Amino acid sequence: MYRYPRPPSSEITPRPIFEQRRSLMKGLTAATALGGLGLSPALASREIINIIETDYGDALTPTPLEAIRGYSNFYEFGTAKEDPRQHAHQLQTDPWSVSVEGLVDTPKTFAVEDLLSRFQLQERVYRLRCVEAWSMVIPWIGFELRELLKAVQPSAEARFVVFETLHDPEQMPGQNNDLLDWPYREGLRLDEAMHPLTIMAVGLYDQTLPKENGAPIRLVVPWKYGFKSIKSVVRIRLQKEQPTSSWQAIRPEEYGFYANVNPDVKHPRWHQATERRVGESGRRKTLMFNGYESEVAELYKGMDLEKHF
Ligand code: MTE
């Protein structure tokens, strides 16, 4: 059985809030049946059947939903933190499909509804640490990426996984500027992608994933800086060569391929030893691998983390 690390006591959620949240999650089935919550039909029916509560991050205090939705980075809709909330409604998320291709035995294009019915949805409460030195705690609903990858059977030569966001400048007006070489692209090593903490999120709190947070489906890799957690994914490709991510392509000295949260590795623009948790005053110490060290340090054994930043 996979064990979740105990968070430091400063992050333990006060009991009443914890219980309130739990009862909210438990109340979901009934509330969904009443149609009271903003769930898409696919996620709503899934919710009733099959979202399991896990112990992942149980003791963390989730950032309020309004802050998660209102303070975000999604450059396809503008560069200000409130732009995605204002503009992402333009994105058509239904129908949506994700192709999984490249070095796999059975490449396949999945409709999002198929992913929801095929893989076990779980609640995962994770810290999210942006490279800009702010952080949040987000109660995601998602499934383990490794389940999807196993379904297409990676071939023996596959070593890396590349992810791409939708490329459609009409729906995503930010793609009309040359800030990045669109579409937004990210990559993981195959063993990172297969790690049980790596999920594809389709919801947060009690909701279908809001568009500003990367609907209908996005990657979440909690021990890496937030920019690795690519939103609104349409393509996943397995390959032999290490890919170059979009940020790495334009500023390799700032955005490494690994981008593991690390308070000891300096960044030219942001001090990485501490962070501001959205909604809190003061600063917290940034944790090695964002607090997931006991689970993921093994992946980087023998690597120079300063060099492979
Ligand atoms: N994915 C795409 N396609 N476009 C983006 O601009 N921003 C990244 C990441 N994924 C981004 C993206 C950054 S910098 C962060 S910190 C997280 O999304 C923010 O996720 P959130 O807005 O859901 O908190």
Side-chain angles (χ1 to χ4, degrees):
M1 190 53 201
Y2 198 69
R3 259 181 48 84
Y4 194 80
R6 270 209 74 67
S9 58
S10 59
E11 285 189 308
I12 303 278
T13 307
R15 194 79 210 168
I17 298 177
F18 170 81
E19 274 161 7
Q20 198 183 340
R21 197 178 73 76
R22 270 286 161 258
S23 64
L24 176 74
M25 292 304 292
K26 293 226 165 71
L28 261 180
T29 305
T32 307
L34 295 173
L37 296 166
L39 290 164
S40 72
L43 186 53
S45 59
R46 204 65 205 148
E47 178 79 43
I48 291 163
I49 308 164
N50 204 18
I51 293 179
I52 56 165
E53 281 182 20
T54 67
D55 294 338
Y56 287 88
D58 246 0
L60 297 171
T61 306
T63 301
L65 177 62
E66 279 310 300
I68 295 172
R69 297 188 59 178
Y71 189 90
S72 66
N73 282 333
F74 199 171
Y75 283 178
E76 285 84 341
F77 295 103
T79 53
K81 293 284 179 287
E82 58 281 4
D83 284 343
R85 178 77 192 258
Q86 264 179 39
H87 302 296
H89 61 87
Q90 302 169 54
L91 182 64
Q92 275 293 337
T93 55
D94 185 14
W96 191 281
S97 54
V98 181
S99 74
V100 192
E101 55 194 58
L103 296 177
V104 297
D105 291 349
T106 52
K108 190 169 154 73
T109 298
F110 297 87
V112 167
E113 309 80 79
D114 296 344
L115 297 173
L116 297 183
S117 58
R118 201 163 159 156
F119 303 114
Q120 175 65 61
L121 295 181
Q122 304 182 22
E123 184 207 12
R124 295 278 180 101
V125 184
Y126 283 162
R127 302 176 194 85
L128 179 127
R129 169 62 157 80
C130 180
V131 71
E132 297 163 339
W134 53 266
S135 66
M136 294 187 179
V137 172
I138 305 185
W140 302 106
I141 297 167
F143 59 88
E144 293 180 355
L145 174 61
R146 63 179 174 168
E147 296 302 322
L148 174 57
L149 295 177
K150 278 191 234 155
V152 294
Q153 299 172 292
S155 45
E157 324 84 86
R159 291 203 48 227
F160 292 92
V161 187
V162 188
F163 304 82
E164 269 178 31
T165 295
L166 177 71
H167 190 206
D168 183 349
E170 270 191 24
Q171 293 190 64
M172 296 178 144
Q175 291 177 337
N176 289 307
N177 68 41
D178 58 5
L179 186 74
L180 287 177
D181 172 25
W182 308 104
Y184 197 105
R185 246 184 352 271
E186 259 309 332
L188 295 174
R189 232 169 44 194
L190 184 57
D191 58 346
E192 296 175 320
M194 296 293 284
H195 193 280
L197 285 183
T198 305
I199 60 166
M200 297 303 294
V202 294
L204 60 81
Y205 271 101
D206 50 359
Q207 311 200 337
T208 303
L209 199 58
K211 291 183 179 179
E212 51 273 27
N213 298 105
I217 182 162
R218 56 114 33 109
L219 178 70
V220 179
V221 194
W223 70 93
K224 292 179 179 280
Y225 291 117
F227 68 87
K228 298 293 287 184
S229 292
I230 179 173
K231 297 178 169 181
S232 305
V233 170
V234 291
R235 182 168 301 114
I236 299 177
R237 193 176 55 254
L238 281 76
Q239 63 184 44
K240 208 169 177 170
E241 313 76 34
Q242 179 170 316
T244 304
S245 67
S246 297
W247 286 110
Q248 197 190 357
I250 57 160
R251 295 215 194 99
E253 69 289 359
E254 291 196 23
Y255 307 106
F257 173 76
Y258 284 94
N260 291 317
V261 175
N262 188 333
D264 302 326
V265 173
K266 292 201 169 34
H267 187 280
R269 276 195 286 168
W270 298 286
H271 189 57
Q272 300 300 15
T274 64
E275 64 199 54
R276 177 179 62 86
R277 175 109 2 128
V278 172
E280 285 181 2
S281 53
R283 298 184 77 82
R284 286 172 177 267
K285 278 194 167 157
T286 290
L287 304 173
M288 186 63 194
F289 294 112
N290 206 21
Y292 303 99
E293 183 171 14
S294 62
E295 282 115 321
V296 302
E298 183 76 12
L299 293 170
Y300 309 103
K301 229 165 120 185
M303 271 175 70
D304 178 345
L305 297 178
E306 190 102 28
K307 189 165 153 223
H308 299 282
F309 65 99

